[in-house]
Amino acid sequence: MHSGLINRITINPDICHGKPSIRNQRYTVELVLDLLSSGMTQAEIINDYPNIEREDILACLEFASQLIKVKSIYKASA
């Protein structure tokens, strides 16, 4: 399901080297996902990063969910 929150995620080559970020700010999707996977709650993230809103966190999760929905995954050789 596409909620429209994903529109909060921007990709701008001038911000964070083009990594997906929140509303053209220097908070990347990667950062938010790392914080969540470390066990931080949404409230803790918002407390530590006041410019991040609850909807931004949900947008990061939606963005990640869309990325993982691929038709095929190939093993990369090192």
Side-chain angles (χ1 to χ4, degrees), residues 10-21 24:
T10 54
I11 299 174
N12 182 336
D14 296 326
I15 298 175
C16 297
H17 305 287
K19 287 186 173 188
S21 63
N24 273 320

Side-chain angles (χ1 to χ4, degrees), residues 3 14 17-18 21 32 48 52-53 55-56 58 60 64 69 76-77:
S3 71
D14 296 326
H17 305 287
S21 63
V32 173
D48 286 355
I52 295 178
E53 301 170 357
E55 291 79 9
D56 297 326
L58 295 176
C60 290
K69 292 177 183 173
S77 309

Side-chain angles (χ1 to χ4, degrees), residues 1-71:
M1 181 193 302
H2 184 61
S3 71
L5 286 173
I6 203 164
N7 294 330
R8 290 175 165 260
I9 305 303
T10 54
I11 299 174
N12 182 336
D14 296 326
I15 298 175
C16 297
H17 305 287
K19 287 186 173 188
S21 63
I22 297 170
R23 297 179 285 122
N24 273 320
Q25 299 180 59
R26 297 196 177 277
Y27 301 110
T28 63
V29 171
E30 179 181 8
L31 168 68
V32 173
L33 295 175
D34 283 346
L35 294 173
L36 288 169
S37 69
S38 76
M40 285 184 77
T41 65
Q42 290 183 23
E44 290 170 331
I45 294 170
I46 292 166
N47 188 53
D48 286 355
Y49 301 90
N51 290 329
I52 295 178
E53 301 170 357
R54 178 181 178 275
E55 291 79 9
D56 297 326
I57 296 170
L58 295 176
C60 290
L61 291 170
E62 185 175 326
F63 184 83
S65 175
Q66 293 299 315
L67 280 180
I68 201 66
K69 292 177 183 173
V70 295
K71 300 218 182 264

